[in-house]
Amino acid sequence: FANFVHRTLKFIEKSFDSKVPQTAIDKGMQAQIVEWYKEVGQKIESGSSKAALDTIFEFVRAANRYFDDEKPWITVREDVAACEKTLATCTLLIQNFAVLLKPFLPFACEAIER
């Protein structure tokens, strides 16, 4: 999780002067976030905290794959709009991971929220 946060925020810092691009979010990833809340919520409600945490980290791995597949280090030079969309989407993912992980990592998630 920390690696995903670090890579995304460092890229935004370096390429966009620390300003999150204000653009459309990847609709597929946005829909996936809704499903993640449902899945994690069901596991927490059934008392399966370890399974919920494992599921969240599966999602973090998916987010890392999304970052890698979208190749913002290339699109920043070739298609800035695509790069902005990727980084805006990754920022949304970070925000939602902070919410999903808060029951497990409250202090780290509060720092991310700030």
Side-chain angles (χ1 to χ4, degrees):
F1 174 64
N3 183 45
F4 178 70
V5 172
H6 180 75
R7 288 187 337 152
T8 300
L9 297 181
K10 278 298 183 187
F11 199 90
I12 291 169
E13 178 184 340
K14 178 182 169 192
S15 300
F16 293 93
D17 197 29
S18 297
K19 294 178 180 77
V20 176
Q22 301 299 303
T23 189
I25 303 297
D26 181 293
K27 296 297 182 195
M29 292 305 286
Q30 195 170 22
Q32 188 61 56
I33 291 168
V34 172
E35 294 304 313
W36 292 345
Y37 275 98
K38 290 177 188 175
E39 189 173 339
V40 171
Q42 289 170 347
K43 290 179 181 181
I44 290 172
E45 287 176 6
S46 71
S48 301
S49 294
K50 183 184 179 326
L53 194 55
D54 289 344
T55 299
I56 294 167
F57 281 105
E58 285 176 32
F59 301 152
V60 170
R61 287 187 290 278
N64 270 309
R65 281 190 303 277
Y66 173 79
F67 185 92
D68 291 341
D69 290 348
E70 295 300 312
K71 298 177 177 64
W73 57 90
I74 294 172
T75 58
V76 74
R77 293 184 312 271
E78 297 175 0
D79 185 353
V80 174
C83 183
E84 289 175 343
K85 183 177 184 177
T86 299
L87 296 174
T89 300
C90 288
T91 302
L92 179 68
L93 290 167
I94 290 168
Q95 292 169 321
N96 282 279
F97 289 143
V99 171
L100 288 167
L101 285 166
K102 197 166 191 172
F104 307 100
L105 303 167
F107 299 114
C109 292
E110 287 173 11
I112 289 168
E113 289 170 349
R114 283 191 298 275

